[in-house]
Amino acid sequence: MLMDTHKRWQAIINRTLSDSELFFYGVLTTGVFCRPDCSSKLPKQDNVVFFNSIDEAKQAGYRACKRCHPESTTQNEKRIAQIISACRIIDQSEEKQTLEVLAKAVGLSTYHFQREFKKYVGISPLQYGRGVRTARFERLLTEHKSITDAIFASGYQSTTSAYQDNSLAMSPKVYRAGGKGVNIQFSIKSSKFGYVVIGVTKRGICAIHFADSPTLAEITLRERFPQADIQEADNDLQALIGATVAYIENPDSQCELPLDIQGTAFQQQVWQVLRSIRPGNTMTYSEVAQKLGKPTAFRAVASACANNKLAVVIPCHRVVGKSGKLTGYRWGVERKRALLENEKES
Ligand SMILES: [Zn+2]
C-alpha cells in the first residue's frame, strides 16, 4: 500500500519512519536523498521528490545523505519491519491467525518467522496473539458489553477458551468492575539522546523509552505492554508529546505532565523519592533506601529503578552507585552520562 504525497510530507515534517511503507526523499536543490526521519533542516516542499527505494534515488542521480545514511537501512531493519507488519496483522485480525498464514503474509518461512519474531518481540507469535486478544477482551469488557459478547468479539472460539487463554489476574466480572484501561497511543520522536517512544493512556503518559532506531522503539513499547492495544497517536496528542520531548531535553523545571504510573506500592514509593532529586543532583541507591526508611533495601531500590517505564520524568538516571559511579542504566550507561551532563550544563 503506497502512502499518498501528503502523508509522506507529513512523515518528513514529523521525522517519523513509517513501518507500513519505507520511502526516501530527494532534495532537488542539493541532489541529496534522505530517510524520512533525517534530522537535517526541513527542505521546501516544492523541492522534494519521493523515491520508493534507494536504487530509484540513485538512478535519478541523487547521493546518499551523510547525516541519516539511507543506505545503512540494513537487513536488520527490514526484518524488524516484517515483524512489525506481522504484529499489525495480528492486531487487526478478528480471529486467531496460524503461523503459516502470518509467515506467508510477511514473506518468510514458517521456521524463520517463528524464530525471528521471538528474537525481536521476546515472545512467540502465538503468545503475542493471545496478548492482543486479551487486550481486546479487556477493552470490550470496559466498554460494558456483556461478557459473552466480549468473548466472541475478541476472537475467542468459546467461553471456556477465553478463561483458559487470557491472563487476566481477576475474573472478567471483577475486571469489568475495575475498568482498567489498556489502550495506548504512541509516538516516536528523535531527541538529543536518541529516539524516544512516548506511550499515552487515557490517564496520562505511561511509557517513555529510549531506543537506537524508531522500529526498535516501537518494539520496546510492545514488549513492555504485550497485553495492551497499541496504536499510533492521533493529532490531539501531538502537543503533549511535543511537551514531553521538550521536558526530556531540558528537565530543569517542575514536571507537570500528566502521568499514568503503574507499579507496585514499593516501586511507587521509590519513584516518588527519585522525583524529588533535582536536575543535576544525584543520590546513591543506599541513600534512596534510607530516605524510604528501609536502609537495607538498596537492592530492591535498584530493581525499582530498572523497572522504571518513564525515562527522565522519573529520573532513575540520577541514582548512582557509591562514590558517584555510574552503574547500569536500562537505556545504556552512555545515555545516563549524557543525561547527567546535559543537566549540569543547563
Ligand atoms: Zn538525511
Side-chain angles (χ1 to χ4, degrees), residues 23-269:
F23 72 92
F24 302 91
Y25 71 92
V27 182
L28 285 167
T29 45
T30 59
V32 165
F33 75 98
C34 286
R35 292 155 55 112
D37 61 336
C38 181
S39 61
S40 60
K41 191 167 157 275
L42 191 68
K44 282 210 181 85
Q45 189 175 5
D46 289 346
N47 292 333
V48 166
V49 278
F50 296 111
F51 302 109
N52 294 317
S53 67
I54 288 171
D55 285 346
E56 209 177 277
K58 289 171 99 178
Q59 271 163 24
Y62 285 80
R63 317 186 293 283
C65 169
K66 291 217 165 64
R67 194 180 285 229
C68 63
H69 303 288
E71 287 181 290
S72 72
T73 307
T74 55
Q75 188 59 29
N76 192 39
E77 246 181 275
K78 274 184 207 153
R79 188 50 49 82
I80 292 174
Q82 283 172 310
I83 300 302
I84 287 188
S85 80
C87 291
R88 286 276 153 80
I89 295 170
I90 299 171
D91 291 347
Q92 287 160 10
S93 310
E94 297 279 319
E95 282 163 15
K96 189 169 164 179
Q97 298 291 325
T98 64
L99 277 178
E100 290 74 19
V101 168
L102 291 167
K104 203 172 169 207
V106 300
L108 286 169
S109 75
T110 309
Y111 171 75
H112 272 107
F113 172 67
Q114 163 108 309
R115 206 183 60 177
E116 297 291 287
F117 193 99
K118 196 148 185 208
K119 182 167 130 198
Y120 289 105
V121 184
I123 52 178
S124 74
L126 295 180
Q127 286 170 319
Y128 181 85
R130 271 201 287 279
V132 168
R133 288 191 297 280
T134 303
R136 196 177 294 153
F137 182 48
E138 292 179 348
R139 195 173 65 251
L140 290 166
L141 283 177
T142 58
E143 285 167 3
H144 303 291
K145 290 210 176 163
S146 86
I147 288 171
T148 323
D149 284 350
I151 285 167
F152 286 104
S154 57
Y156 288 110
Q157 310 300 319
S158 72
T159 320
T160 40
S161 74
Y163 289 100
Q164 283 160 5
D165 195 6
N166 84 62
S167 48
L168 291 178
M170 297 173 271
S171 74
K173 259 191 181 139
V174 174
Y175 185 79
R176 180 164 58 180
K180 190 171 92 182
V182 280
N183 196 316
I184 300 176
Q185 292 193 41
F186 76 96
S187 189
I188 294 162
K189 298 282 171 200
S190 58
S191 76
K192 35 178 176 179
F193 309 107
Y195 289 99
V196 60
V197 58
I198 297 161
V200 185
T201 67
K202 269 184 282 185
R203 292 197 295 172
I205 299 162
C206 67
I208 301 173
H209 296 292
F210 291 112
D212 293 332
S213 83
T215 30
L216 284 175
E218 181 169 346
I219 292 217
T220 310
L221 181 74
R222 289 183 183 276
E223 221 172 9
R224 201 69 189 171
F225 296 97
Q227 313 281 337
D229 176 36
I230 297 180
Q231 290 155 355
E232 277 190 62
D234 53 36
N235 285 336
D236 294 351
L237 284 176
Q238 294 309 320
L240 174 60
I241 283 157
T244 309
V245 176
Y247 183 83
I248 290 166
E249 294 193 334
N250 180 25
D252 195 19
S253 54
Q254 189 68 34
C255 176
E256 278 160 5
L257 300 163
L259 303 178
D260 183 355
I261 301 178
Q262 297 158 2
T264 64
F266 179 76
Q267 286 173 339
Q268 304 236 17
Q269 285 171 4

